[in-house]
């Protein structure tokens, strides 16, 4: 019997399984379909920046810690699996269409309060830098520290790393209930 059973073989379940196995626990993942092939597969892989030192609420704090941890975690996952996640700090651009030119001012101010690098993009600068973007854009800013990962590669790396660490990943295993022995789920 494994030390831990994880229900769901998406990016979160597989990540938890990998970390638990890395710490020496035996782990089994139960996935009703094919591991990593639902919402995790379809996600865009965008990793917004953050700064835990200036965060005042739970979401920015979690995002900030995640931002700091991603480079090392992606490298370790690649090392354990042999599959590159294609993690990169590629930057990102936020835009609005058909709004006022000041539509993003509050978002920019929020990033600044968090201590995240943000660059307002006046329309002439936006058009110069990104001429392929729609001329209907009315407001924009850049987040140079925004990251990205290729979801299909991340999931392949997670599955390979889990298997390499002895995690049992079971496909076609829906969970419909729990059996208990006292306070323990067995």
């Amino acid at each position: 019997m494994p030390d831990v059973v994880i229900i769901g073989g998406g990016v979160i379940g597989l990540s938890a399984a990998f970390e638990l196995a890395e710490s020496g626990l035996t782990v089994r993942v139960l996935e009703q379909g094919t591991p990593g092939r639902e919402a995790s597969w379809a996600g865009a892989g965008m990793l917004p920046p953050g700064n835990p030192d200036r965060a005042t609420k739970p979401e920015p704090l979690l995002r900030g810690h995640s931002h700091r941890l991603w480079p090392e975690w992606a490298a370790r996952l690649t090392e354990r699996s042999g599959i590159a996640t294609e993690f990169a700090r590629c930057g990102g651009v936020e835009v609005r269409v058909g709004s006022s030119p000041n539509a993003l001012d509050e978002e920019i101010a929020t990033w600044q309060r968090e201590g995240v690098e943000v660059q307002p993009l006046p329309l002439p600068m936006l058009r110069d830098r990104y001429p392929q973007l729609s001329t209907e854009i009315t407001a924009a800013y850049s987040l140079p520290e925004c990251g990205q990962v290729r979801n299909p590669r991340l999931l392949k790396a997670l599955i390979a790393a889990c298997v390499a660490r002895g995690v049992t990943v079971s496909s076609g295993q829906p969970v419909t209930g729990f059996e208990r022995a006292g306070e323990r789920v067995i």
Side-chain angles (χ1 to χ4, degrees), residues 95-117:
V95 300
R96 291 293 180 274
V97 174
S99 64
S100 80
N102 301 331
L104 295 171
D105 288 355
E106 185 53 39
E107 285 183 35
I108 291 168
T110 299
W111 289 116
Q112 290 170 335
R113 280 191 300 275
E114 285 184 25
V116 171
E117 183 180 355

Side-chain angles (χ1 to χ4, degrees), residues 67-89:
H67 178 75
R68 285 194 180 158
L69 292 170
W70 256 103
E72 182 275 329
W73 191 74
R76 186 162 50 93
L77 188 57
T78 296
E79 178 186 312
R80 301 290 196 278
S81 69
I83 300 169
T85 63
E86 296 185 20
F87 166 77
R89 293 256 196 252

